Amino acid sequence: MKFLKLILKNAFRHKVRATLTIIGIAVAVTAFGVLRTVVTAWYVGVDAAASNRLITRQAISFIFPLPYAYKEKIAAVPGIEAISFMNWFGGVYLDKKNFFARMAVDAETAFDVYPEFLIAPDQLATFKAERNACVIGAELAKQYNLKIGDPMSLDGDIYPGRWDFVIRGIYTPKFDNTDATQMFFQWNYLNERILQDMPQRANDVGWYVTRITNPDDAATISSQIDELFMNSSAETKSETEGEFTRGFISASGAILGAMNFMSFTIVAIIMLVLANTMMMSARERTREYAILKTLGFSVPQISWLILGESLVLSILGGALGLLLTAPLVKGFAAAVPKGWFPVFKIEPITMALLIAAVIFIGLASAIFPIRRAASTSIVDGMRFMG
Amino acid sequence: MPHLIEIKALAKSYWRDGFEIPVLNNININVEKGDYLALMGPSGSGKSTLLNLIAGIDRPSKGEVVVDGTNIAKLGESELARWRANNIGFIFQFYNLIPVLTAYDNVGLPLLLTKLGKAEQKKHIETALSIVGLGDRMKHYPKQLSGGQEQRVAIARAIVTDPQILVADEPTGDLDRNSAEEILTLMKRLNEEFGKTIIMVTHDPHAAESAKKTLNLEKGDLIGSSK
Ligand SMILES: Nc1ncnc2c1ncn2[C@@H]1O[C@H](COP(=O)(O)OP(=O)(O)OP(=O)(O)O)[C@@H](O)[C@H]1O
Ligand SMILES: [Mg+2]
């Protein structure tokens, strides 16, 4: 700490170079933070997935339906506590770019398998009782300024026509990463209309959701379910909710992979920038380090001077970068269509990664200058003309 | 009474591209406490090399340098660094101050390695700067000082830890007559008033006159001394 003054003076000896380096680090840290936030936002569904929930879908693709008749058979498999089912409705709310999940769910059981969607008992009761009732997430209510009693209409695409609902419940998220941007309405309501308009598509279920007693049995129960419908016209594929969600994401996997790779490439590049700055400084100060050695500074003490300088630059750059990341992430969240990312914020893990990266960069950049200073003898250092 | 510095059968060679370059051959010198020694000789005769060996910033190829009973060639890197901090004050031809530090902070550098508190450090630094006559220039940066003043700051830095030995490598080599004279007067005072043992390399016979004794070096050999 006695060296702090000298370290700070050294770090800012070349004001322009130090400033550019700090800005470089800040920009990289910001890019890293935003990229990581996008990646984690994408995976938030996987992280939020309950390990005691299974999804059973059509084996070929989840876009093909399963018969309603499977419900009782699946429910009979040992280890299953609760079963529900839902259909992806799709459709348009007001404008095509308003993106959020709209699902036809089994009103009787939906909130049993999703205990993290918190809903008041009286609202749930009304939802179950009224055919055209719907429940929306608190986040969605906030975004579109909706409240209980408001009408809500969808233009169907998978299920054509105009669909009118009344909001009878607003659920709140139990956890930070719980998706509070969904809209649920009664599967019965959907099915009744389909029965009239397109009878051949009636009694179709998008997928089944089951809650199991013991997460460790997930694999066994999944294969037991799938065996039930082996060789039928609609074979099933059961998996944990996490695997199911991951399946959705893998469609965008290449992009995510690229983002992941980029975020770490940025760290590597910026390390080279700082390492270069530090190397230049150390080279210019070859003679000075020799002088300090004649004054009695030991190699470890000189190493601290160099390491300190490197850390000062990386930490200042990192701090500036962190300050810039927060508003940028906010701006980014505002720029992407609402509902694209149910949860979009800087996660603690992103913060931790950022801080670790900054310190790592500071440490790594000091290695070569320290080695150079240590291996240059005083006599050679004094004769050095840089 | 034992000698303060005993140099016994000292030899030094450098190795470049597999060739041995002998620089010092067989040097034997005794330096007494309170001596003021001038080291003269043509360029390349090994004056700086000898001075560096005495100051413990270079290592002999053969022979011994014993200072106050310590054979410094036997000390490890960190021990030697600590030994230098405690026993040697170094004055260079080109002052070698740190440009981003004020005169005050430059002089204070060696004190960073001690356990002295802020207040004590201040006392030492102010004393050293007032001895060299720069008590009023403490806040100045090196580039705001003349060459002679810079060298005086460097001398203050060399004496701030109160070492018993000062080594100076052409301390007046880069200065005009007047400034050089000031430095020589100061060195003489440090020797006479403060009892510092001084070894000074110089090309300048006039500078050598202010020393008590002159040694002449030629091609790595001592070729005699004069009072
Ligand atoms: N680190 C080194 N590597 C190789 N050769 C060296 C090294 N240091 C000094 N020499 C050589 O040793 C010889 C003596 O050098 P030294 O610097 O001691 O001379 P000097 O008497 O101080 O000369 P000057 O008056 O020019 O300063 C020279 O030939 C020099 O080239
Ligand atoms: Mg020399």
Side-chain angles (χ1 to χ4, degrees):
Chain A
M1 273 310 106
K2 291 194 280 192
F3 296 159
L4 191 62
K5 185 170 187 176
L6 184 53
I7 287 172
L8 289 174
K9 294 261 185 178
N10 276 341
F12 289 97
R13 196 176 282 209
H14 295 276
K15 299 223 165 41
V16 175
R17 188 199 292 168
T19 310
L20 287 178
T21 304
I22 288 173
I23 291 175
I25 295 171
V27 168
V29 160
T30 307
F32 181 81
V34 172
L35 278 175
R36 298 301 316 161
T37 301
V38 171
V39 172
T40 44
W42 228 298
Y43 278 103
V44 88
V46 178
D47 294 339
S51 54
N52 65 346
R53 246 187 330 248
L54 300 182
I55 307 282
T56 299
R57 58 157 169 101
Q58 219 271 3
I60 299 167
S61 164
F62 61 83
I63 63 170
F64 297 119
L66 292 172
Y68 174 74
Y70 282 10
K71 185 182 164 200
E72 296 308 320
K73 290 186 190 157
I74 295 174
V77 172
I80 290 185
E81 278 180 353
I83 180 164
S84 189
F85 54 89
M86 53 188 60
N87 289 29
W88 178 264
F89 179 81
V92 173
Y93 174 64
L94 300 177
D95 191 302
K96 268 209 174 68
K97 62 176 208 287
N98 294 337
F99 185 90
F100 54 88
R102 294 145 210 150
M103 312 275 220
V105 303
D106 180 31
E108 287 303 323
T109 55
F111 287 89
D112 297 340
V113 293
Y114 288 104
E116 69 267 40
F117 297 154
L118 306 174
I119 183 167
D122 56 320
Q123 294 179 12
L124 182 58
T126 323
F127 177 53
K128 288 178 182 176
E130 289 181 21
R131 263 297 183 266
N132 66 341
C134 73
V135 172
I136 60 173
E139 191 59 37
L140 199 60
K142 202 171 92 193
Q143 274 173 25
Y144 296 96
N145 203 11
L146 296 168
K147 52 189 189 311
I148 291 180
D150 284 354
M152 200 169 173
S153 300
L154 301 180
D155 268 325
D157 36 30
I158 306 172
Y159 303 97
R162 183 188 162 87
W163 301 75
D164 293 313
F165 305 97
V166 179
I167 299 170
R168 290 299 181 203
I170 292 178
Y171 73 86
T172 52
K174 184 168 179 186
F175 305 111
D176 258 6
N177 57 7
T178 302
D179 180 1
T181 67
Q182 305 197 36
M183 175 211 183
F184 304 120
F185 59 88
Q186 284 201 11
W187 182 86
N188 285 338
Y189 180 54
L190 177 79
N191 201 45
E192 274 163 21
R193 234 172 100 170
I194 298 297
L195 211 51
Q196 286 176 3
D197 300 352
M198 312 172 267
Q200 76 284 1
R201 281 177 68 183
N203 296 325
D204 278 350
V205 165
W207 57 83
Y208 288 95
V209 184
T210 48
R211 203 179 71 218
I212 59 177
T213 316
N214 185 351
D216 295 339
D217 297 337
T220 337
I221 296 178
S222 295
S223 50
Q224 275 176 322
I225 296 174
D226 294 343
E227 268 164 36
L228 287 176
F229 310 107
M230 205 78 97
N231 301 322
S232 74
S233 61
E235 294 193 350
T236 60
K237 173 158 172 57
S238 303
E239 57 200 344
T240 62
E241 188 178 54
E243 287 160 355
F244 179 72
T245 315
R246 217 184 307 259
F248 269 105
I249 294 170
S250 70
S252 19
I255 299 174
L256 277 181
M259 283 193 177
N260 237 331
F261 177 74
M262 285 241 309
S263 62
F264 288 103
T265 309
I266 287 171
V267 172
I269 290 175
I270 203 57
M271 200 176 80
L272 294 181
V273 170
L274 180 61
N276 184 48
T277 298
M278 286 306 300
M279 207 54 204
M280 278 201 277
S281 304
R283 202 185 140 77
E284 288 164 1
R285 284 183 221 146
T286 306
R287 199 179 161 79
E288 246 169 62
Y289 292 140
I291 303 298
L292 290 177
K293 284 184 193 172
T294 66
L295 296 182
F297 281 68
S298 64
V299 167
Q301 286 165 329
I302 288 174
S303 303
W304 277 114
L305 288 179
I306 298 174
L307 183 62
E309 183 175 344
S310 181
L311 282 173
V312 163
L313 292 176
S314 69
I315 288 172
L316 282 179
L320 183 62
L322 278 179
L323 284 180
L324 292 175
T325 306
L328 244 145
V329 164
K330 270 219 179 72
F332 195 89
V336 296
K338 280 199 164 73
W340 254 38
F341 299 111
V343 180
F344 194 83
K345 62 183 175 60
I346 306 169
E347 296 287 331
I349 175 74
T350 304
M351 280 297 244
L353 266 175
L354 270 175
I355 292 168
V358 162
I359 290 173
F360 172 76
I361 287 170
L363 292 176
S365 303
I367 290 174
F368 284 106
I370 284 176
R371 282 183 47 169
R372 185 190 154 90
S375 65
T376 308
S377 73
I378 299 181
V379 174
D380 286 337
M382 303 260 267
R383 288 162 67 96
F384 182 83
M385 293 293 159
Chain B
M1 200 177 99
H3 312 290
L4 177 62
I5 304 173
E6 273 180 74
I7 298 168
K8 289 185 247 174
L10 183 69
K12 175 73 185 178
S13 306
Y14 287 108
W15 290 88
R16 280 289 130 107
D17 309 318
F19 288 98
E20 186 177 5
I21 310 167
V23 178
L24 296 173
N25 299 323
N26 180 21
I27 307 285
N28 293 281
I29 310 173
N30 291 328
V31 182
E32 310 305 331
K33 198 164 166 41
D35 263 357
Y36 185 174
L37 224 67
L39 205 51
M40 294 193 71
S43 186
S45 56
K47 304 181 298 291
S48 297
T49 303
L50 179 56
L51 198 70
N52 291 343
L53 289 168
I54 295 170
I57 66 175
D58 203 355
R59 293 195 179 265
S61 307
K62 282 197 203 101
E64 292 182 355
V65 177
V66 181
V67 180
D68 219 0
T70 308
N71 182 355
I72 60 171
K74 293 239 158 67
L75 298 177
E77 256 343 290
S78 298
E79 282 176 308
L80 192 58
R82 212 171 315 124
W83 179 84
R84 277 196 303 272
N86 293 330
N87 294 282
I88 303 286
F90 215 115
I91 302 158
F92 310 91
Q93 179 178 357
F94 298 109
Y95 337 129
N96 286 322
L97 300 176
I98 308 285
V100 287
L101 297 180
T102 59
Y104 182 92
D105 286 332
N106 263 292
V107 173
L109 273 176
L111 297 180
L112 294 182
L113 305 173
T114 66
K115 289 198 176 69
L116 295 181
K118 268 241 147 59
E120 283 170 296
Q121 289 192 21
K122 186 163 182 277
K123 222 167 67 195
H124 279 72
I125 296 168
E126 287 174 354
T127 307
L129 277 167
S130 68
I131 288 173
V132 302
L134 287 175
D136 55 343
R137 294 288 149 82
M138 296 199 279
K139 294 257 148 42
H140 287 57
Y141 286 91
K143 62 169 179 289
Q144 299 168 323
L145 298 170
S146 72
Q149 288 171 330
E150 280 195 73
Q151 191 61 298
R152 282 193 275 156
V153 174
I155 292 173
R157 181 176 66 185
I159 60 173
V160 74
T161 54
D162 200 21
Q164 50 181 343
I165 301 167
L166 294 181
V167 297
D169 196 345
E170 301 187 40
T172 58
D174 201 45
L175 296 174
D176 62 62
R177 264 249 149 260
N178 284 342
S179 306
E181 207 56 53
E182 279 174 19
I183 297 298
L184 290 172
T185 311
L186 180 56
M187 304 255 298
K188 210 174 166 90
R189 229 185 108 209
L190 288 173
N191 173 248
E192 288 173 356
E193 229 177 276
F194 296 88
K196 302 289 174 207
T197 305
I198 301 180
I199 304 167
M200 171 177 71
V201 168
T202 183
H203 274 122
D204 178 7
H206 173 71
E209 268 169 34
S210 71
K212 289 177 177 166
K213 211 195 280 180
T214 300
L215 298 181
N216 284 293
L217 210 56
E218 196 151 327
K219 291 191 184 135
D221 290 304
L222 273 180
I223 54 157
S225 60
S226 55
K227 288 268 168 184

